Amino acid sequence: MSATIEYVRFETTDPAELSAQRGTLISLLRERYGSDFLGAHLALCEDGSLLDLLLWASPEAAARAAREMPGDPAAAGFFSLIGEVHEMRHAEVLHSTQP
């Protein structure tokens, strides 16, 4: 299976509220991108920044969502809580395992 990881490391002043808003974002991703959206993980880094890892079926799907979602009014609750973005990248998955 070919897949693309979207890696975003960013700051927020309210990790709890951002996490609460994440359910809405994930529902929107599932609704809008269907089988192109494969999953996501949100993590708290040691330095206090957050790391969002999203798994996409293709680089095109990842790029499309990266263009569309930040300005989507339905996702505004989540994106309004994001402060400085330190890094955002897309990477091709070369190998993956499942438990």
Side-chain angles (χ1 to χ4, degrees):
M1 172 177 110
S2 176
T4 297
I5 291 177
E6 182 175 331
Y7 165 100
V8 186
R9 191 172 66 84
F10 60 92
E11 300 291 329
T12 185
T13 57
D14 195 344
E17 181 60 23
L18 183 126
S19 294
Q21 292 289 329
R22 185 150 165 84
T24 299
L25 176 68
I26 297 301
S27 294
L28 284 168
L29 294 174
R30 286 187 178 124
E31 176 187 314
R32 304 259 168 88
Y33 303 101
S35 62
D36 282 336
F37 174 66
L38 303 176
H41 298 277
L42 181 66
L44 179 63
C45 298
E46 291 174 348
D47 66 359
S49 65
L50 295 176
L51 177 63
D52 206 351
L53 296 170
L54 296 104
L55 188 61
W56 296 96
S58 69
E60 294 81 15
R64 179 178 159 220
R67 278 191 318 272
E68 295 173 350
M69 292 309 293
D72 190 312
F78 179 83
F79 285 100
S80 69
L81 296 165
I82 293 177
E84 181 181 355
V85 175
H86 297 290
E87 188 172 12
M88 179 177 179
R89 296 179 183 258
H90 292 134
E92 179 185 1
V93 175
L94 298 178
H95 180 268
S96 186
T97 61
Q98 298 293 324

